[in-house]
Amino acid sequence: MFCVARARTEGESLIVTRGRTCFVMLNLYPYNNGHVMVVPNRHIGSLAEASRRELSELMTLTRRAEIALTEAYRPHGMNMGINLGRPAGAGIDDHLHWHVVPRWEGDTNFMPLIAETRVMPEHLEDSYDRLLPL
């Protein structure tokens, strides 16, 4: 999935910025508005497989994402994390990616619990436009 996204143009792939070894893209199935992922260009499944340069850029781009999300959305907090392997919750478990999810006080609702549905008040294209300067 990420390898295909990396090969597309930014607008098609939801990539908001590219580094030398990694890129930042919107999550196609976001937990919240502005949910992005920092992804290495190389198809690797764990931090142990990452080079020093990739590890450094993962953190640098995560920091840039935090700053951009704070400016664009003014969240009250953020969740940041990596899920390694399906048992840990990884939806794509063979290509490392770091989630950055803006959070607000009271941003949970009953829809995921009752209807197994997420409600997103902002369309992905609008999120893309807000974060493109990242």
Side-chain angles (χ1 to χ4, degrees):
M1 167 171 173
F2 296 130
C3 296
V4 172
R6 188 181 74 233
R8 293 182 179 158
T9 64
E10 274 74 2
E12 291 177 336
S13 62
L14 300 177
I15 292 175
V16 293
T17 194
R18 293 177 191 265
R20 296 180 86 168
T21 64
C22 303
F23 57 94
V24 180
M25 69 182 294
L26 287 168
N27 190 319
L28 188 57
Y29 305 104
Y31 298 136
N32 242 341
N33 292 333
H35 180 173
V36 297
M37 297 175 294
V38 184
V39 184
N41 291 332
R42 274 193 325 128
H43 192 102
I44 56 175
S46 70
L47 290 170
E49 297 174 65
S51 70
R52 288 181 189 262
R53 177 178 262 172
E54 288 166 328
L55 291 171
S56 177
E57 193 163 71
L58 273 170
M59 187 52 66
T60 298
L61 289 177
T62 299
R63 179 182 179 271
R64 282 180 58 191
E66 174 193 6
I67 292 167
L69 289 166
T70 298
E71 290 175 6
Y73 289 94
R74 301 285 184 224
H76 300 135
M78 290 191 204
N79 289 120
M80 298 184 185
I82 300 170
N83 302 323
L84 295 178
R86 289 224 186 269
I92 300 171
D93 63 354
D94 61 343
H95 197 144
L96 178 71
H97 55 287
W98 185 298
H99 292 267
V100 183
V101 184
R103 300 302 304 265
W104 292 267
E105 297 286 335
D107 68 3
T108 59
N109 63 53
F110 65 90
M111 291 298 285
L113 299 174
I114 296 174
E116 296 181 18
T117 301
R118 288 192 187 132
V119 177
M120 297 303 299
E122 182 173 75
H123 192 275
L124 282 176
E125 289 178 13
D126 295 330
S127 297
Y128 179 84
D129 290 341
R130 287 176 82 161
L131 293 175
L132 192 55
L134 187 122

